[in-house]
Amino acid sequence: MSDNKVQIFDTTLRDGEQVPGCKLNTKQKLVIAERLDLLGVDVIEAGFPVSSPGDFKSVNEIAKVVKHATVCGLTRAVENDIKVAAEALKYARKPRIHTGIGTSESHIKYKFNSTQEKVIERGVAAVKYAKSFVEDVEFFAEDAGRTDNEFLARVCEAMIKAGATVLNIPDTTGYCLPEEYGAKIKYLKENVTGIDKVIISCHCHNDLGLATANSISGAINGARQIECTINGIGERAGNTALEEVVMIMKQHPYLHLNTDINSRLLYDTSLMVSESMGMMVQPNKAIVGANAFAHSSGIHQDGVIKNRETYEIIDPVEVGVTESAIVLTARSGRAALAYRSKKIGYELTKLQLDDVYKEFLNYADRKKEVVDEDIHEIMKTVDVVAAVA
Ligand code: KIV
Ligand code: ZN
């Protein structure tokens, strides 16, 4: 693996599926898992096998069909969870057990009523037990975002000695600032013995809208795996959005970070996940939202018609969107109206355009959006005939 490759760990089927109302059946999960494999993700977190017989079955079936990606199952630092996950993953070509425990002061005190030393002991025992089933063991230090860096470094060192191959540093509550999260990863890189033998993973939640920024900051500071979901779905405000981190790395080549994702499949994959989960994508969602490549104000439309790059930093084709959209509203100008009219067969002279534009504004003030059928009507009222039928 190149030093600059950032592995994409997709947790749509685990953290993403935890969203109320987003529950999927095994058949739906299999379709998504196969799509994620095609998309080029490195790891598919298929579920939490001990949590229910249905989840066990899904992980088990996904493990059988995934051809390229590592298939991962989540566990707590509990022997039975690990044993069940190993059983669910037994047909995977590349199985991974993802185990861990809370490491922040509040988790240790309120969740476990325990001590730092005992938490390390439990983590070590879990990693060693998981290693007795599979070679690839990822350890998560839950709430690492609010865990003191010195203690976190001790935890990481102990897990590396126990055999962990990947160390997940989750900002479970989405609290960190990008600089702070990046500094945490840097601190671990500089202070943990053996850190270069393992992959550091970012798992950031979006409670303050910083999940993507934090993950990128983590990667800039040495993390080489990002945990994310399609459309950014996940607990509460969600997880890091896969499509966002992938396109940030692609659009900023000087970062020298890359992934194996086929970005042209992003839009269709987003649709597939949103439809099967019944979870609508907000129109202004970066990369995959309905308005991500739509231009509606006159100034922007004029620019885009002259040259797409004036207002677009990504060629829509790169993410699987056929073309940018020029949406006609009361804020649109003559350039957009002439452009759209031409597309549907009306070549307008300057004088005609003035008349059509006046009538267009009347329509646009009454409607949210003027569509092609409206343009045909407008042309009739001002007596313009289409050049081509
Ligand atoms: O957010 C989190 O900390 C998690 C862990 C279970 C990895 O989802
Ligand atoms: Zn999470």
Side-chain angles (χ1 to χ4, degrees):
M1 195 180 87
S2 107
D3 281 356
N4 299 331
K5 169 159 174 202
V6 176
Q7 300 207 5
I8 294 297
F9 174 116
D10 181 279
T11 183
T12 305
L13 298 175
R14 199 279 295 170
D15 221 329
E17 207 237 6
Q18 286 172 207
V19 175
C22 282
K23 173 112 190 50
L24 299 173
N25 60 37
T26 300
K27 209 167 144 208
Q28 290 170 313
K29 284 190 185 177
L30 277 169
V31 174
I32 293 180
E34 286 188 299
R35 165 49 74 111
L36 293 171
D37 207 21
L38 191 68
L39 181 66
V41 309
D42 300 278
V43 185
I44 297 173
E45 186 162 54
F48 183 7
V50 84
S51 65
S52 74
D55 222 33
F56 178 94
K57 184 169 173 243
S58 298
V59 175
N60 198 244
E61 297 293 327
I62 290 169
K64 288 179 198 161
V65 301
V66 168
K67 291 194 180 72
H68 310 288
T70 294
V71 180
C72 174
L74 184 78
T75 83
R76 294 165 297 182
V78 170
E79 274 205 1
N80 188 50
D81 286 25
I82 295 168
K83 199 164 98 195
V84 172
E87 178 64 21
L89 291 166
K90 71 179 174 196
Y91 299 114
R93 286 180 176 84
K94 292 188 260 173
R96 175 182 296 177
I97 292 178
H98 187 192
T99 189
I101 190 163
T103 53
S104 65
E105 229 180 273
S106 97
H107 279 224
I108 294 175
K109 188 165 161 199
Y110 299 114
K111 268 177 71 175
F112 309 121
N113 187 22
S114 188
T115 63
Q116 289 189 335
E117 296 317 313
K118 286 197 179 125
V119 158
I120 292 186
E121 265 171 42
R122 264 186 76 180
V124 165
V127 170
K128 285 188 173 160
Y129 189 56
K131 278 299 258 199
S132 71
F133 297 102
V134 294
E135 171 47 35
D136 191 4
V137 174
E138 173 167 342
F139 175 82
F140 67 84
E142 197 181 12
D143 205 13
R146 294 187 300 170
T147 300
D148 162 67
N149 284 351
E150 257 177 62
F151 176 59
L152 189 59
R154 277 178 51 214
V155 172
C156 290
E157 213 160 285
M159 300 314 147
I160 294 170
K161 278 200 193 122
T165 46
V166 181
L167 293 175
N168 179 8
I169 310 300
D171 184 22
T172 305
T173 57
Y175 181 71
C176 287
L177 294 171
E179 243 180 57
E180 190 185 357
Y181 188 75
K184 192 175 276 290
I185 302 298
K186 188 166 190 271
Y187 181 88
L188 297 175
K189 283 291 275 182
E190 288 172 354
N191 291 282
V192 174
T193 310
I195 198 77
D196 292 332
K197 290 193 292 195
V198 300
I199 292 174
I200 300 181
S201 184
C202 308
H203 178 114
C204 298
H205 279 268
N206 206 30
D207 300 67
L208 290 171
L210 291 171
T212 294
N214 283 345
S215 298
I216 293 294
S217 177
I220 289 171
N221 283 283
R224 285 295 174 267
Q225 179 176 278
I226 292 180
E227 308 197 1
C228 44
T229 59
I230 300 293
N231 301 334
I233 57 167
E235 281 274 349
R236 307 182 310 280
N239 288 62
T240 302
L242 182 149
E243 59 277 7
E244 293 175 12
V245 285
V246 165
M247 291 314 290
I248 288 170
M249 290 187 260
K250 193 164 180 172
Q251 298 305 112
H252 289 275
Y254 64 87
L255 289 177
H256 300 295
L257 299 170
N258 49 65
T259 72
D260 284 346
I261 297 295
N262 176 357
S263 67
R264 293 185 181 219
L265 296 179
L266 285 172
Y267 184 66
D268 273 359
T269 309
S270 157
L271 266 186
M272 173 194 269
V273 168
S274 139
E275 277 168 13
S276 51
M277 288 191 166
M279 177 101 165
M280 176 208 152
V281 176
Q282 72 195 61
N284 58 325
K285 168 81 188 60
I287 319 293
V288 292
N291 292 347
F293 298 99
H295 306 275
S296 71
S297 87
I299 297 171
H300 289 210
Q301 290 174 331
D302 183 49
V304 170
I305 290 166
K306 287 174 177 148
N307 184 323
R308 192 190 56 74
E309 288 181 15
T310 52
Y311 287 96
E312 278 182 0
I313 56 151
I314 300 172
D315 183 341
V317 171
E318 284 301 315
V319 300
V321 174
T322 349
E323 59 176 352
S324 322
I326 298 290
V327 183
L328 295 178
T329 71
R331 304 292 150 260
S332 301
R334 283 174 172 72
L337 180 60
Y339 171 84
R340 190 72 227 150
S341 301
K342 191 171 175 193
K343 282 226 160 196
I344 60 169
Y346 301 94
E347 193 82 60
L348 301 172
T349 64
K350 196 177 168 311
L351 279 178
Q352 280 173 321
L353 180 59
D354 286 343
D355 287 346
V356 174
Y357 187 64
K358 259 189 230 147
E359 191 54 26
F360 162 79
L361 286 180
N362 289 333
Y363 257 76
D365 271 339
R366 277 184 270 125
K367 295 192 70 184
K368 279 194 198 315
E369 187 183 331
V370 176
V371 297
D372 292 351
E373 288 73 50
D374 300 322
I375 298 181
H376 289 304
E377 285 306 309
I378 294 168
M379 297 300 174
K380 276 187 215 157
T381 58
V382 291
D383 242 1
V384 178
V385 180
V388 272

